[in-house]
Amino acid sequence: MELEKGYFITFEGADGCGKTTQAELLEKWLNTKGYNTLMTLEPGATDLGKNLRQILLHYDKPVSDEAEMFMYLADRAQHAQMIIKPALEDKKIVLCDRYTDSTVAYQGYGREGNIEQINILNKIATKGLKSNLTLLFDVESEIAQSRLGKTKDRLESQGIDFHKKVRNGYLELAKQEPERIKVINANKTIEEVFSEVKKIIGELLNI
Ligand code: TYD
């Protein structure tokens, strides 16, 4: 199925929200309908990004908040320019697990960084490439915590208060940009959440 233009759809939410499962289900659904998709993620989609991801998630010495932020941004710059932009030019539907909103939610709201500055840095990193649509999977922090496995990475080990700050940050973002960011109640079962996803994407693509 040839589209007139590419679509850039991002998946966002605090850790344990189930967005990766939903992105995979959506990709399968779109492929059975004949759409050309590219599934990708942050951090770590490019070769450079894989190196950054290793540090971001597993480095075991202290990392300053700013160093952390710049590594996510460096990963994004490489990803946007090398992978996302070409795929959109190819008229693909790009499904991206985390993008600019993650940095605002985690490094901005979670780590209490300067959100105005992060917005500017996101613009520089992406050369202004924004998602057409963002699905925000919103989950209660207690439920999310119980979904996370026993071996947690650096960010997942931050505890429930951090999770709450990130979650509320995302909800604040959705209030500011209701057209682009659609909030999905992710406390429900995988099937229930996916039917919500299909409804939103179906409307976007007229399926
Ligand atoms: P990952 O294992 O990909 O987790 P998830 O399946 O939840 O996406 O780890 C990514 C982690 O990095 C996650 O805890 C969120 C965090 N993160 C930021 O803090 N800032 C960012 O800009 C991005 C993209 C991710």
Side-chain angles (χ1 to χ4, degrees), residues 5-6 12 18 21 25 36 52 63 83 91 96 102 105 111 113 115 123-124 129 136 144-145 152 159 169 182 203 205:
K5 59 176 180 107
E12 293 281 2
T21 308
L25 287 172
N36 212 347
L52 292 169
V63 179
I83 295 185
K91 300 179 181 169
C96 184
S102 281
R111 301 253 191 247
I115 290 168
K123 247 188 218 156
I124 296 172
L129 179 64
L136 169 55
Q145 256 3 59
K152 299 191 179 80
K182 306 291 176 202
E203 272 168 28
L205 299 174

Side-chain angles (χ1 to χ4, degrees), residues 13-16 19-20 41-43 53 57 68 72-73 75-76 97-100 102-104 106-107 153 155-156:
D15 292 284
K19 64 186 166 40
T20 309
L41 87 170
E42 290 193 4
R53 180 182 174 91
L57 300 187
E68 178 182 277
Y72 280 115
L73 289 161
D75 171 72
R76 179 159 310 128
D97 195 344
R98 297 196 181 282
Y99 191 58
T100 48
S102 281
T103 314
V104 182
Y106 280 78
Q107 281 65 49
D153 64 39
L155 276 287
E156 287 171 351

Side-chain angles (χ1 to χ4, degrees), residues 85-172:
K85 196 161 168 271
L88 292 171
E89 282 166 359
D90 244 13
K91 300 179 181 169
K92 288 190 177 145
I93 301 177
V94 175
L95 305 174
C96 184
D97 195 344
R98 297 196 181 282
Y99 191 58
T100 48
D101 300 308
S102 281
T103 314
V104 182
Y106 280 78
Q107 281 65 49
Y109 288 95
R111 301 253 191 247
E112 299 179 11
N114 182 318
I115 290 168
E116 257 171 59
Q117 286 178 352
I118 293 175
N119 286 335
I120 294 168
L121 293 168
N122 260 332
K123 247 188 218 156
I124 296 172
T126 60
K127 295 192 169 165
L129 179 64
K130 288 186 79 175
S131 66
N132 299 110
L133 181 80
T134 293
L135 301 177
L136 169 55
F137 295 86
D138 180 54
V139 67
E140 304 273 346
S141 297
E142 287 74 12
I143 296 180
Q145 256 3 59
S146 72
R147 285 180 187 169
L148 294 176
K150 280 209 183 83
T151 43
K152 299 191 179 80
D153 64 39
R154 215 172 53 80
L155 276 287
E156 287 171 351
S157 315
Q158 295 294 313
I160 197 152
D161 289 344
F162 183 74
H163 192 282
K164 284 185 180 159
K165 282 200 268 183
V166 171
R167 178 187 179 209
N168 290 332
Y170 271 124
L171 291 173
E172 186 55 41

Side-chain angles (χ1 to χ4, degrees), residues 34-75:
Y35 289 97
N36 212 347
T37 55
L38 175 84
M39 172 80 98
T40 187
L41 87 170
E42 290 193 4
T46 62
D47 185 58
L48 172 69
K50 285 191 179 69
N51 287 286
L52 292 169
R53 180 182 174 91
Q54 178 61 24
I55 301 173
L56 280 163
L57 300 187
H58 305 295
Y59 189 66
D60 61 0
K61 297 188 188 72
V63 179
S64 75
D65 289 352
E66 289 72 23
E68 178 182 277
M69 175 183 73
F70 279 115
M71 283 191 275
Y72 280 115
L73 289 161
D75 171 72

